[in-house]
Amino acid sequence: MVITNDITLITFVPLTMMFLKCIGSRRVIFIIVMETIAANLGSIVTPMGNPHNIFLYSYYDMSLETFLSTIIPFAVFSFILIVITVLLLKDYKIDASITYTDKRPDKLKTAKYVILFIISILAVINVIDYVVCLLLVLIVLLLTDRSVFRKVDYSLLLTFVFFFIFSANIGSIEEINHYIVQTIEGRELATSILLSQVISNVPTAVMLAPFTSNGIGLLVGTNLGGLGTPIASLASLISYRLYTTLRRNEKIDYLKTFFVLNISFLLILIVFATIIM
């Protein structure tokens, strides 16, 4: 909800895998997939939780009250689903051996990133111009911590840049433009969920927004559409990439668990959406 679904998974997936290795857990794939689902559904609660929320919140000039009243029921129901799913697991004994160290964080570095994070949040809620925010972050990092630029997964970023280019251009073709208008009208929820499975939920929001005034349907559809296939959300791709980089021979096992859990959650939430909307 606060640091976005993508950053949450970049932080927690490696940490989780390291911890589960220490305790010899047999449920690594299940836990990583559930973390991904939790991140995708947790991020729907706030406008800055994920990129398409920021875009739709701004594009349709939504009030915070409208946004929250639409999303909170889905967030609460999703949280209940996650808790139930985890509680259904049977306990088993673990034998852990963990060594503790007294390594303290760099206070100055921590303060710097907290300040940059606050500036980024202020840009999201339009207190600070996003260009000013971008320049401040770039300048500070270039002067104090250039190494972070070497750690960026540029190939993943380029994948989504091309998704945006594709979605923007495909919508400018007159025949396709006409077809989209006819298809989406009154079906914003279903269309955005289905399209998200193919081109991801962020490009879907950007692509469909100009063709409908129903921002609420698009907001719910793209948030639920983050579940399903691994490319439905950038966060899901991040988890898959992080896990399979360390465990290359478990790609099929990961995808099997991913599809079973994601499709199950998606179908349940679609039924919930049809009831309350």
Side-chain angles (χ1 to χ4, degrees):
M1 293 186 285
V2 180
I3 65 172
T4 79
N5 51 355
D6 305 333
I7 303 303
T8 298
L9 292 170
I10 289 171
T11 304
F12 277 96
V13 170
L15 185 66
T16 300
M17 291 182 68
M18 185 168 56
F19 177 72
L20 295 179
K21 184 179 179 181
C22 291
I23 65 171
S25 175
R26 302 191 297 269
R27 293 176 178 151
V28 182
I29 292 177
F30 173 84
I31 293 171
I32 299 299
V33 172
M34 284 303 300
E35 281 187 346
T36 304
I37 290 172
N40 279 326
L41 292 174
S43 66
I44 72 175
V45 180
T46 60
M48 65 276 200
N50 49 52
H52 62 274
N53 274 3
I54 297 174
F55 170 75
L56 294 172
Y57 182 73
S58 173
Y59 186 88
Y60 289 101
D61 195 23
M62 293 183 189
S63 67
L64 187 60
E65 181 183 357
T66 299
F67 181 92
L68 292 176
S69 63
T70 301
I71 290 300
I72 290 297
F74 290 96
V76 173
F77 185 68
S78 298
F79 183 75
I80 293 170
L81 281 179
I82 292 168
V83 171
I84 291 172
T85 304
V86 173
L87 290 178
L88 287 174
L89 295 178
K90 294 182 179 179
D91 294 337
Y92 67 94
K93 189 177 180 180
I94 59 173
D95 183 17
S97 178
I98 301 173
T99 303
Y100 295 93
T101 59
D102 189 28
K103 186 177 181 180
R104 299 177 183 275
D106 185 327
K107 291 182 180 179
L108 187 61
K109 190 174 184 179
T110 303
K112 175 186 69 179
Y113 280 106
V114 167
I115 291 170
L116 290 178
F117 173 69
I118 292 171
I119 290 171
S120 300
I121 296 298
L122 291 175
V124 170
I125 60 176
N126 297 319
V127 175
I128 296 175
D129 188 275
Y130 73 91
V131 176
V132 175
C133 171
L134 176 62
L135 290 174
L136 278 172
V137 171
L138 285 175
I139 291 169
V140 171
L141 292 180
L142 283 170
L143 292 174
T144 64
D145 197 0
R146 295 182 187 179
S147 62
V148 296
F149 293 102
R150 294 195 297 269
K151 300 174 183 177
V152 177
D153 191 336
Y154 291 103
S155 62
L156 195 60
L157 283 178
L158 282 173
T159 300
F160 275 80
V161 167
F162 290 129
F163 270 140
F164 279 116
I165 293 172
F166 169 78
S167 60
N169 280 279
I170 203 75
S172 65
I173 301 171
E174 188 175 343
E175 293 80 3
I176 295 177
N177 186 310
H178 181 67
Y179 177 75
I180 291 173
V181 172
Q182 286 187 320
T183 302
I184 192 175
E185 189 174 356
R187 308 182 189 92
E188 288 82 2
L189 179 67
T191 305
S192 53
I193 289 174
L194 290 171
L195 192 57
S196 293
Q197 307 307 306
V198 183
I199 67 168
S200 181
N201 52 3
V202 180
T204 293
V206 176
M207 180 178 176
L208 297 183
F211 302 104
T212 178
S213 59
N214 184 3
I216 297 301
L218 206 55
L219 177 68
V220 175
T222 51
N223 275 307
L224 298 189
L227 301 170
T229 66
I231 65 169
S233 165
L234 172 61
S236 297
L237 271 181
I238 288 171
S239 291
Y240 175 75
R241 190 78 164 267
L242 289 170
Y243 185 85
T244 55
T245 298
L246 296 174
R247 301 193 178 192
R248 296 174 185 270
N249 61 333
E250 296 181 15
K251 290 182 180 180
I252 301 300
D253 292 333
Y254 183 92
L255 288 173
K256 284 179 181 177
T257 304
F258 182 91
F259 276 111
V260 168
L261 288 171
N262 269 266
I263 297 300
S264 298
F265 269 76
L266 178 58
L267 291 176
I268 293 170
L269 283 165
I270 288 174
V271 173
F272 180 72
T274 57
I275 293 172
I276 70 168
M277 290 184 72

